[in-house]
Amino acid sequence: EQFNALYENKKELIDKIINLKQVYLNCEKIQKIVTFRNNITHGSKPTINKDIVETAYALRVLVYATFLSRIDLSDDAIYNALVFAF
């Protein structure tokens, strides 16, 4: 739920960045990666697929965007930094 809330807060910016790599994020994909991570934590060895990798990339962008936002960078500055970094 926390990732969903962060995503909804910065959805326009995150989508603008990740769509450049033809990656798309939604709440269902976030839930799938949370379940994937939980399964690993509890000893399962689920198969990594393209959807999991793309969602992990998108969440990485989300985490960085959230951090940069909390230090008061503008959305334009965040966009420029993350497009350069990712």
Coordinates of all heavy atoms in Angstrom, one line a residue:
E1 N 0.8 -1.2 0.0 CA 0.0 0.0 0.0 C 0.9 1.3 0.0 O 0.5 2.3 -0.6 CB -0.9 0.0 1.2 CG -2.0 -1.0 1.1 CD -3.0 -1.0 2.3 OE1 -3.1 0.1 2.9 OE2 -3.6 -2.0 2.5
Q2 N 2.0 1.2 0.7 CA 2.9 2.4 0.7 C 3.4 2.7 -0.7 O 3.5 3.9 -1.1 CB 4.0 2.2 1.7 CG 3.5 2.1 3.1 CD 4.6 1.8 4.1 OE1 5.7 1.5 3.7 NE2 4.3 1.9 5.4
F3 N 3.8 1.7 -1.4 CA 4.3 2.0 -2.8 C 3.2 2.5 -3.7 O 3.4 3.4 -4.5 CB 4.8 0.7 -3.5 CG 6.3 0.4 -3.1 CD1 6.6 -0.8 -2.5 CD2 7.3 1.3 -3.4 CE1 7.9 -1.1 -2.2 CE2 8.6 1.0 -3.1 CZ 8.9 -0.2 -2.5
N4 N 2.0 2.0 -3.5 CA 0.8 2.5 -4.2 C 0.6 4.0 -3.9 O 0.3 4.8 -4.9 CB -0.4 1.7 -4.0 CG -0.4 0.3 -4.6 OD1 0.3 0.1 -5.5 ND2 -1.1 -0.6 -4.0
A5 N 0.6 4.3 -2.7 CA 0.4 5.7 -2.3 C 1.5 6.6 -2.8 O 1.2 7.7 -3.4 CB 0.4 5.8 -0.7
L6 N 2.8 6.2 -2.8 CA 3.8 7.0 -3.4 C 3.7 7.1 -4.9 O 3.9 8.2 -5.4 CB 5.2 6.3 -3.1 CG 5.7 6.3 -1.6 CD1 7.0 5.5 -1.5 CD2 5.9 7.8 -1.1
Y7 N 3.3 6.1 -5.5 CA 3.1 6.1 -7.0 C 2.0 7.1 -7.3 O 2.1 7.9 -8.2 CB 2.8 4.7 -7.5 CG 2.5 4.7 -9.0 CD1 3.4 5.2 -9.9 CD2 1.3 4.1 -9.5 CE1 3.1 5.2 -11.3 CE2 1.0 4.1 -10.8 CZ 2.0 4.6 -11.7 OH 1.7 4.6 -13.1
E8 N 0.8 7.0 -6.6 CA -0.3 7.9 -6.9 C 0.1 9.3 -6.7 O -0.4 10.2 -7.5 CB -1.5 7.5 -6.1 CG -2.1 6.2 -6.5 CD -2.6 6.1 -8.0 OE1 -3.1 7.2 -8.5 OE2 -2.5 5.1 -8.6
N9 N 1.0 9.6 -5.8 CA 1.4 10.9 -5.5 C 2.3 11.5 -6.6 O 2.2 12.7 -6.9 CB 2.2 11.0 -4.2 CG 2.5 12.4 -3.7 OD1 1.7 13.3 -3.9 ND2 3.7 12.5 -3.2
K10 N 3.1 10.7 -7.2 CA 4.0 11.1 -8.3 C 3.8 10.5 -9.6 O 4.7 10.4 -10.5 CB 5.5 10.9 -7.8 CG 5.9 11.8 -6.7 CD 6.2 13.2 -7.3 CE 6.8 14.1 -6.3 NZ 6.8 15.5 -6.7
K11 N 2.6 10.0 -9.8 CA 2.2 9.2 -11.0 C 2.6 9.8 -12.3 O 3.2 9.2 -13.2 CB 0.7 8.9 -11.0 CG 0.3 7.9 -12.1 CD -1.2 7.6 -12.0 CE -1.8 6.7 -13.0 NZ -1.0 6.3 -14.1
E12 N 2.3 11.1 -12.5 CA 2.5 11.7 -13.8 C 4.0 11.8 -14.1 O 4.5 11.5 -15.2 CB 1.9 13.2 -13.8 CG 2.1 13.9 -15.1 CD 1.4 15.2 -15.0 OE1 0.4 15.4 -14.4 OE2 1.9 16.1 -15.7
L13 N 4.8 12.2 -13.1 CA 6.3 12.3 -13.2 C 6.9 10.9 -13.5 O 7.7 10.7 -14.4 CB 6.9 12.9 -12.0 CG 8.4 13.0 -11.9 CD1 9.0 13.8 -13.1 CD2 8.9 13.5 -10.6
I14 N 6.5 9.9 -12.7 CA 7.1 8.5 -12.8 C 6.7 8.0 -14.2 O 7.6 7.4 -14.8 CB 6.5 7.6 -11.7 CG1 6.9 8.2 -10.3 CG2 7.0 6.2 -11.9 CD1 8.4 8.4 -10.1
D15 N 5.5 8.1 -14.6 CA 5.1 7.6 -15.9 C 5.9 8.2 -17.0 O 6.3 7.6 -18.0 CB 3.6 7.7 -16.1 CG 2.8 6.7 -15.3 OD1 3.4 5.8 -14.7 OD2 1.6 6.9 -15.2
K16 N 6.1 9.5 -16.9 CA 6.8 10.3 -17.9 C 8.3 9.7 -18.1 O 8.8 9.6 -19.2 CB 6.8 11.7 -17.5 CG 7.4 12.7 -18.5 CD 7.2 14.1 -18.0 CE 8.0 15.1 -18.9 NZ 7.9 16.5 -18.3
I17 N 8.9 9.3 -16.9 CA 10.2 8.8 -17.0 C 10.3 7.4 -17.4 O 11.0 7.0 -18.3 CB 10.9 8.9 -15.5 CG1 11.0 10.4 -15.1 CG2 12.2 8.2 -15.5 CD1 11.3 10.6 -13.7
I18 N 9.5 6.5 -16.8 CA 9.6 5.1 -17.2 C 9.0 4.8 -18.6 O 9.5 3.8 -19.2 CB 8.9 4.2 -16.1 CG1 7.4 4.4 -16.0 CG2 9.6 4.4 -14.8 CD1 6.7 3.4 -15.1
N19 N 8.1 5.6 -19.0 CA 7.5 5.3 -20.4 C 8.6 5.5 -21.5 O 8.4 5.0 -22.6 CB 6.3 6.2 -20.6 CG 5.1 5.7 -19.7 OD1 5.1 4.7 -19.1 ND2 4.1 6.5 -19.7
L20 N 9.6 6.3 -21.2 CA 10.7 6.5 -22.1 C 11.3 5.1 -22.4 O 11.9 5.0 -23.5 CB 11.7 7.5 -21.6 CG 11.3 8.9 -21.5 CD1 12.4 9.7 -20.7 CD2 11.0 9.5 -22.8
K21 N 11.3 4.2 -21.5 CA 11.9 2.9 -21.7 C 10.8 1.9 -22.0 O 11.0 0.7 -21.9 CB 12.6 2.4 -20.4 CG 13.7 3.3 -19.9 CD 15.0 3.1 -20.6 CE 16.1 3.9 -19.9 NZ 17.3 3.8 -20.6
Q22 N 9.6 2.4 -22.3 CA 8.5 1.5 -22.6 C 8.1 0.6 -21.5 O 7.8 -0.6 -21.7 CB 8.7 0.8 -23.9 CG 8.8 1.7 -25.1 CD 9.1 1.0 -26.4 OE1 9.3 -0.2 -26.5 NE2 9.0 1.8 -27.5
V23 N 8.2 1.1 -20.3 CA 7.8 0.4 -19.0 C 6.6 1.1 -18.5 O 6.5 2.3 -18.5 CB 9.0 0.5 -18.0 CG1 8.6 -0.1 -16.7 CG2 10.2 -0.3 -18.6
Y24 N 5.7 0.3 -18.0 CA 4.4 0.8 -17.5 C 4.1 0.3 -16.2 O 4.4 -0.9 -15.9 CB 3.3 0.5 -18.5 CG 3.6 1.0 -19.9 CD1 4.2 0.2 -20.8 CD2 3.4 2.4 -20.2 CE1 4.5 0.7 -22.1 CE2 3.7 2.8 -21.5 CZ 4.3 2.0 -22.4 OH 4.7 2.5 -23.6
L25 N 3.6 1.1 -15.3 CA 3.4 0.7 -13.9 C 2.0 0.9 -13.5 O 1.3 1.8 -14.0 CB 4.3 1.5 -13.0 CG 4.4 1.2 -11.5 CD1 4.9 -0.2 -11.3 CD2 5.3 2.2 -10.7
N26 N 1.4 0.0 -12.7 CA 0.1 0.2 -12.1 C 0.1 -0.5 -10.8 O 1.1 -1.2 -10.4 CB -1.0 -0.3 -13.1 CG -0.8 -1.8 -13.4 OD1 -0.5 -2.6 -12.6 ND2 -1.0 -2.1 -14.7
C27 N -1.0 -0.4 -10.0 CA -1.1 -0.9 -8.7 C -1.0 -2.4 -8.7 O -0.5 -3.1 -7.8 CB -2.4 -0.4 -8.0 SG -2.3 1.3 -7.7
E28 N -1.5 -3.1 -9.8 CA -1.5 -4.5 -9.9 C 0.0 -5.0 -10.0 O 0.3 -6.0 -9.3 CB -2.3 -5.0 -11.1 CG -2.3 -6.5 -11.2 CD -3.1 -6.9 -12.5 OE1 -4.1 -6.3 -12.8 OE2 -2.7 -7.9 -13.1
K29 N 0.8 -4.3 -10.8 CA 2.2 -4.7 -10.9 C 2.9 -4.5 -9.6 O 3.8 -5.3 -9.3 CB 2.8 -3.9 -12.1 CG 2.4 -4.4 -13.4 CD 3.2 -3.6 -14.5 CE 2.8 -4.1 -15.9 NZ 3.7 -3.5 -16.9
I30 N 2.6 -3.5 -8.9 CA 3.3 -3.2 -7.6 C 2.9 -4.4 -6.7 O 3.8 -4.9 -6.0 CB 2.8 -1.9 -7.0 CG1 3.4 -0.7 -7.9 CG2 3.3 -1.7 -5.6 CD1 2.9 0.7 -7.5
Q31 N 1.7 -4.8 -6.6 CA 1.3 -5.9 -5.8 C 2.0 -7.2 -6.1 O 2.4 -7.9 -5.3 CB -0.3 -6.1 -5.8 CG -0.7 -7.1 -4.8 CD -0.3 -6.8 -3.3 OE1 -0.4 -5.7 -2.8 NE2 0.3 -7.8 -2.7
K32 N 2.1 -7.4 -7.4 CA 2.8 -8.6 -7.9 C 4.3 -8.7 -7.4 O 4.8 -9.7 -7.0 CB 2.8 -8.8 -9.4 CG 1.4 -9.2 -9.9 CD 1.5 -9.4 -11.4 CE 0.1 -9.8 -11.9 NZ 0.1 -10.0 -13.4
I33 N 5.0 -7.5 -7.4 CA 6.3 -7.5 -7.0 C 6.5 -7.6 -5.5 O 7.4 -8.2 -4.9 CB 7.2 -6.3 -7.6 CG1 8.6 -6.7 -7.5 CG2 6.9 -5.1 -6.8 CD1 9.5 -5.8 -8.3
V34 N 5.5 -7.1 -4.8 CA 5.5 -7.2 -3.3 C 5.3 -8.7 -2.9 O 6.0 -9.2 -2.1 CB 4.4 -6.3 -2.7 CG1 4.1 -6.7 -1.2 CG2 4.7 -4.8 -2.8
T35 N 4.4 -9.3 -3.6 CA 4.1 -10.8 -3.4 C 5.4 -11.6 -3.8 O 5.8 -12.5 -3.0 CB 2.9 -11.3 -4.2 OG1 1.8 -10.5 -3.8 CG2 2.7 -12.7 -4.0
F36 N 6.0 -11.2 -4.9 CA 7.3 -11.9 -5.3 C 8.3 -11.8 -4.2 O 9.0 -12.7 -3.8 CB 7.7 -11.2 -6.6 CG 9.0 -11.8 -7.2 CD1 8.9 -12.9 -8.0 CD2 10.2 -11.2 -6.9 CE1 10.1 -13.5 -8.5 CE2 11.4 -11.8 -7.5 CZ 11.3 -12.9 -8.3
R37 N 8.5 -10.6 -3.7 CA 9.5 -10.3 -2.7 C 9.2 -11.1 -1.4 O 10.0 -11.7 -0.8 CB 9.6 -8.8 -2.4 CG 10.6 -8.5 -1.3 CD 9.9 -7.5 -0.3 NE 10.7 -7.4 0.9 CZ 10.5 -8.0 2.1 NH1 9.4 -8.8 2.2 NH2 11.2 -7.9 3.1
N38 N 7.9 -11.1 -1.0 CA 7.5 -11.8 0.2 C 7.7 -13.3 0.0 O 8.1 -14.0 1.0 CB 6.0 -11.6 0.5 CG 5.8 -10.2 1.0 OD1 6.7 -9.5 1.4 ND2 4.5 -9.7 1.0
N39 N 7.5 -13.9 -1.2 CA 7.7 -15.3 -1.4 C 9.2 -15.6 -1.3 O 9.5 -16.7 -0.7 CB 7.2 -15.7 -2.8 CG 5.7 -15.7 -2.9 OD1 5.0 -15.8 -1.9 ND2 5.2 -15.6 -4.1
I40 N 10.1 -14.8 -1.7 CA 11.5 -15.0 -1.6 C 11.9 -14.9 -0.1 O 12.6 -15.8 0.4 CB 12.3 -13.9 -2.4 CG1 12.2 -14.2 -3.9 CG2 13.8 -13.9 -2.0 CD1 12.7 -13.1 -4.7
T41 N 11.3 -14.0 0.6 CA 11.6 -13.8 2.0 C 11.2 -15.1 2.8 O 11.9 -15.4 3.8 CB 10.9 -12.6 2.6 OG1 11.3 -11.4 1.9 CG2 11.2 -12.4 4.1
H42 N 10.2 -15.7 2.4 CA 9.7 -16.9 3.1 C 10.2 -18.2 2.5 O 9.6 -19.3 2.8 CB 8.2 -16.9 3.2 CG 7.7 -15.7 4.0 ND1 7.8 -15.6 5.3 CD2 7.1 -14.6 3.6 CE1 7.3 -14.5 5.8 NE2 6.8 -13.8 4.7
G43 N 11.3 -18.1 1.7 CA 12.0 -19.4 1.3 C 11.6 -19.9 -0.1 O 12.2 -20.9 -0.5
S44 N 10.7 -19.3 -0.7 CA 10.3 -19.7 -2.1 C 11.3 -19.2 -3.1 O 12.1 -18.3 -2.8 CB 8.9 -19.2 -2.4 OG 8.5 -19.7 -3.7
K45 N 11.4 -19.9 -4.2 CA 12.3 -19.4 -5.3 C 11.5 -19.2 -6.6 O 11.6 -19.9 -7.5 CB 13.4 -20.5 -5.5 CG 14.3 -20.6 -4.3 CD 15.4 -21.7 -4.6 CE 16.2 -21.8 -3.4 NZ 17.2 -22.8 -3.5
P46 N 10.7 -18.1 -6.6 CA 9.9 -17.8 -7.8 C 10.8 -17.4 -9.0 O 11.9 -17.0 -8.8 CB 9.0 -16.7 -7.3 CG 9.7 -16.0 -6.2 CD 10.5 -17.1 -5.6
T47 N 10.3 -17.6 -10.1 CA 11.0 -17.3 -11.4 C 10.9 -15.8 -11.7 O 9.8 -15.2 -11.6 CB 10.4 -18.1 -12.6 OG1 10.4 -19.5 -12.2 CG2 11.1 -17.8 -13.8
I48 N 12.0 -15.2 -12.0 CA 12.0 -13.8 -12.4 C 11.6 -13.7 -13.8 O 12.2 -14.4 -14.7 CB 13.4 -13.2 -12.1 CG1 13.8 -13.2 -10.7 CG2 13.5 -11.8 -12.7 CD1 15.2 -12.7 -10.4
N49 N 10.7 -12.9 -14.1 CA 10.2 -12.7 -15.5 C 10.4 -11.2 -15.9 O 10.7 -10.3 -15.0 CB 8.8 -13.2 -15.7 CG 7.8 -12.5 -14.8 OD1 7.9 -11.3 -14.6 ND2 6.8 -13.2 -14.4
K50 N 10.1 -10.9 -17.1 CA 10.3 -9.5 -17.6 C 9.4 -8.5 -16.8 O 9.9 -7.4 -16.6 CB 9.9 -9.5 -19.1 CG 10.1 -8.2 -19.8 CD 9.7 -8.2 -21.2 CE 9.8 -6.8 -21.8 NZ 9.3 -6.7 -23.2
D51 N 8.2 -8.9 -16.5 CA 7.3 -8.0 -15.8 C 7.9 -7.7 -14.4 O 7.8 -6.5 -14.0 CB 5.9 -8.7 -15.6 CG 4.8 -7.7 -15.4 OD1 4.9 -6.6 -16.0 OD2 4.0 -8.0 -14.5
I52 N 8.5 -8.6 -13.7 CA 9.1 -8.4 -12.4 C 10.3 -7.4 -12.5 O 10.4 -6.5 -11.8 CB 9.5 -9.7 -11.7 CG1 8.3 -10.5 -11.4 CG2 10.4 -9.4 -10.5 CD1 7.4 -10.0 -10.3
V53 N 11.1 -7.6 -13.5 CA 12.3 -6.8 -13.8 C 11.9 -5.4 -14.1 O 12.4 -4.4 -13.6 CB 13.2 -7.4 -14.9 CG1 14.3 -6.4 -15.3 CG2 13.7 -8.7 -14.5
E54 N 10.9 -5.2 -15.0 CA 10.4 -3.9 -15.4 C 9.8 -3.2 -14.2 O 10.0 -2.0 -14.0 CB 9.4 -4.0 -16.5 CG 10.1 -4.3 -17.8 CD 9.2 -4.4 -19.0 OE1 7.9 -4.4 -18.8 OE2 9.6 -4.5 -20.1
T55 N 9.0 -3.9 -13.4 CA 8.4 -3.3 -12.2 C 9.5 -2.9 -11.2 O 9.4 -1.8 -10.6 CB 7.4 -4.2 -11.6 OG1 6.4 -4.6 -12.6 CG2 6.6 -3.6 -10.4
A56 N 10.5 -3.7 -11.0 CA 11.6 -3.3 -10.1 C 12.3 -2.1 -10.6 O 12.6 -1.2 -9.7 CB 12.6 -4.5 -10.0
Y57 N 12.5 -1.9 -11.8 CA 13.1 -0.7 -12.4 C 12.2 0.5 -12.1 O 12.7 1.5 -11.7 CB 13.3 -0.9 -13.9 CG 13.4 0.4 -14.7 CD1 14.6 1.1 -14.7 CD2 12.3 1.0 -15.4 CE1 14.7 2.3 -15.3 CE2 12.4 2.2 -16.0 CZ 13.6 2.9 -16.0 OH 13.8 4.1 -16.7
A58 N 10.9 0.3 -12.3 CA 9.9 1.4 -12.1 C 9.9 1.8 -10.6 O 9.9 3.0 -10.3 CB 8.6 1.1 -12.6
L59 N 10.0 0.9 -9.8 CA 10.0 1.2 -8.3 C 11.3 1.8 -7.9 O 11.3 2.7 -7.0 CB 9.7 -0.1 -7.5 CG 8.3 -0.7 -7.6 CD1 8.2 -1.9 -6.7 CD2 7.2 0.4 -7.3
R60 N 12.3 1.5 -8.5 CA 13.6 2.2 -8.2 C 13.5 3.6 -8.6 O 13.9 4.5 -7.9 CB 14.7 1.5 -9.0 CG 16.1 1.8 -8.6 CD 17.1 0.8 -9.2 NE 18.1 1.6 -9.8 CZ 19.0 1.2 -10.6 NH1 18.9 0.0 -11.0 NH2 19.9 2.0 -11.1
V61 N 12.9 3.9 -9.8 CA 12.7 5.3 -10.2 C 11.8 6.0 -9.2 O 12.0 7.1 -8.8 CB 12.1 5.4 -11.6 CG1 11.7 6.8 -12.0 CG2 13.1 4.8 -12.6
L62 N 10.8 5.3 -8.8 CA 9.8 5.9 -7.8 C 10.5 6.2 -6.5 O 10.3 7.3 -5.9 CB 8.7 4.9 -7.5 CG 7.7 5.3 -6.4 CD1 7.0 6.6 -6.8 CD2 6.7 4.1 -6.2
V63 N 11.4 5.4 -6.0 CA 12.1 5.6 -4.7 C 13.0 6.8 -4.9 O 13.0 7.7 -4.0 CB 12.8 4.4 -4.3 CG1 13.8 4.7 -3.1 CG2 11.9 3.3 -3.8
Y64 N 13.7 6.9 -5.9 CA 14.6 8.0 -6.1 C 13.8 9.3 -6.3 O 14.2 10.4 -5.8 CB 15.5 7.8 -7.3 CG 16.8 7.0 -7.0 CD1 16.8 5.6 -7.2 CD2 17.9 7.6 -6.6 CE1 17.9 4.9 -6.9 CE2 19.1 6.9 -6.3 CZ 19.0 5.5 -6.4 OH 20.2 4.8 -6.1
A65 N 12.7 9.3 -7.1 CA 11.9 10.5 -7.3 C 11.3 11.0 -5.9 O 11.3 12.2 -5.7 CB 10.8 10.2 -8.2
T66 N 10.9 10.0 -5.1 CA 10.4 10.4 -3.8 C 11.4 11.0 -2.9 O 11.2 12.1 -2.3 CB 9.8 9.1 -3.1 OG1 8.7 8.6 -3.9 CG2 9.2 9.5 -1.7
F67 N 12.6 10.4 -2.9 CA 13.7 11.0 -2.1 C 14.0 12.4 -2.6 O 14.2 13.4 -1.8 CB 15.0 10.1 -2.2 CG 16.2 10.7 -1.6 CD1 16.3 10.8 -0.2 CD2 17.2 11.3 -2.4 CE1 17.4 11.3 0.4 CE2 18.3 11.8 -1.8 CZ 18.4 11.9 -0.4
L68 N 14.2 12.6 -3.9 CA 14.5 13.9 -4.5 C 13.4 14.9 -4.2 O 13.7 16.1 -4.0 CB 14.9 13.8 -5.9 CG 16.1 13.0 -6.3 CD1 16.2 12.8 -7.8 CD2 17.4 13.6 -5.7
S69 N 12.2 14.5 -4.2 CA 11.1 15.4 -3.9 C 11.1 15.8 -2.5 O 10.8 17.0 -2.2 CB 9.8 14.6 -4.2 OG 8.7 15.4 -3.9
R70 N 11.5 14.9 -1.6 CA 11.6 15.3 -0.2 C 12.7 16.3 0.2 O 12.6 16.9 1.2 CB 11.7 14.0 0.7 CG 10.4 13.3 0.7 CD 10.4 12.1 1.6 NE 9.1 11.4 1.5 CZ 8.9 10.3 2.2 NH1 9.8 9.7 2.9 NH2 7.7 9.7 2.0
I71 N 13.6 16.4 -0.7 CA 14.7 17.4 -0.5 C 14.4 18.7 -1.3 O 15.2 19.5 -1.6 CB 16.1 16.9 -0.7 CG1 16.3 16.4 -2.1 CG2 16.4 15.8 0.3 CD1 17.8 16.1 -2.5
D72 N 13.1 18.8 -1.7 CA 12.5 20.0 -2.4 C 13.0 20.2 -3.8 O 13.0 21.4 -4.2 CB 12.7 21.2 -1.5 CG 11.9 21.2 -0.3 OD1 10.8 20.6 -0.4 OD2 12.3 21.7 0.8
L73 N 13.4 19.2 -4.5 CA 13.7 19.4 -5.9 C 12.4 19.5 -6.7 O 11.4 18.8 -6.4 CB 14.6 18.3 -6.5 CG 16.1 18.5 -6.6 CD1 16.7 18.3 -5.2 CD2 16.7 17.6 -7.6
S74 N 12.4 20.3 -7.7 CA 11.2 20.5 -8.5 C 11.0 19.2 -9.4 O 12.0 18.4 -9.6 CB 11.3 21.7 -9.4 OG 12.3 21.4 -10.4
D75 N 9.8 19.0 -9.9 CA 9.5 17.8 -10.8 C 10.4 17.9 -12.0 O 10.9 16.9 -12.5 CB 8.1 17.7 -11.1 CG 7.2 17.2 -10.0 OD1 7.8 16.8 -9.0 OD2 6.0 17.1 -10.2
D76 N 10.7 19.1 -12.5 CA 11.5 19.2 -13.7 C 13.0 18.8 -13.4 O 13.6 18.1 -14.2 CB 11.5 20.7 -14.2 CG 10.2 21.0 -14.9 OD1 9.5 20.1 -15.4 OD2 10.0 22.3 -15.0
A77 N 13.5 19.2 -12.2 CA 14.8 18.8 -11.8 C 14.9 17.3 -11.6 O 15.9 16.7 -12.0 CB 15.2 19.6 -10.6
I78 N 13.9 16.7 -11.0 CA 13.8 15.3 -10.7 C 13.8 14.6 -12.1 O 14.5 13.6 -12.3 CB 12.6 14.9 -9.9 CG1 12.8 15.5 -8.5 CG2 12.4 13.4 -9.8 CD1 11.5 15.4 -7.6
Y79 N 13.0 15.0 -13.0 CA 12.9 14.4 -14.3 C 14.2 14.4 -15.0 O 14.7 13.3 -15.5 CB 11.8 15.1 -15.2 CG 11.8 14.6 -16.6 CD1 11.0 13.5 -16.9 CD2 12.5 15.2 -17.6 CE1 11.0 13.0 -18.2 CE2 12.5 14.7 -18.9 CZ 11.7 13.6 -19.2 OH 11.6 13.1 -20.5
N80 N 14.9 15.5 -15.0 CA 16.2 15.6 -15.7 C 17.2 14.7 -15.0 O 18.0 14.1 -15.7 CB 16.7 17.1 -15.7 CG 15.8 17.9 -16.6 OD1 15.3 17.5 -17.6 ND2 15.7 19.2 -16.3
A81 N 17.2 14.7 -13.7 CA 18.2 13.9 -13.0 C 18.0 12.4 -13.3 O 18.9 11.6 -13.5 CB 18.2 14.2 -11.5
L82 N 16.7 12.0 -13.2 CA 16.4 10.5 -13.3 C 16.5 10.0 -14.8 O 16.9 8.9 -15.0 CB 15.1 10.2 -12.7 CG 15.1 10.4 -11.2 CD1 13.7 10.0 -10.6 CD2 16.2 9.7 -10.5
V83 N 16.2 10.9 -15.7 CA 16.3 10.5 -17.1 C 17.8 10.3 -17.4 O 18.2 9.3 -18.1 CB 15.7 11.5 -18.1 CG1 16.1 11.3 -19.5 CG2 14.2 11.4 -18.0
F84 N 18.6 11.1 -16.8 CA 20.1 11.0 -17.0 C 20.6 9.8 -16.3 O 21.4 9.0 -16.8 CB 20.8 12.3 -16.5 CG 22.3 12.2 -16.6 CD1 22.9 12.4 -17.8 CD2 23.0 11.9 -15.4 CE1 24.3 12.3 -17.9 CE2 24.4 11.8 -15.5 CZ 25.1 12.1 -16.7
A85 N 20.1 9.5 -15.1 CA 20.6 8.4 -14.3 C 20.1 7.0 -14.7 O 20.8 6.0 -14.6 CB 20.2 8.6 -12.8
F86 N 18.9 7.0 -15.3 CA 18.3 5.7 -15.7 C 18.1 5.6 -17.1 O 17.5 4.8 -17.7 CB 16.9 5.5 -14.9 CG 17.1 5.3 -13.4 CD1 16.8 6.4 -12.6 CD2 17.6 4.1 -12.9 CE1 17.0 6.3 -11.2 CE2 17.7 4.0 -11.5 CZ 17.4 5.1 -10.7

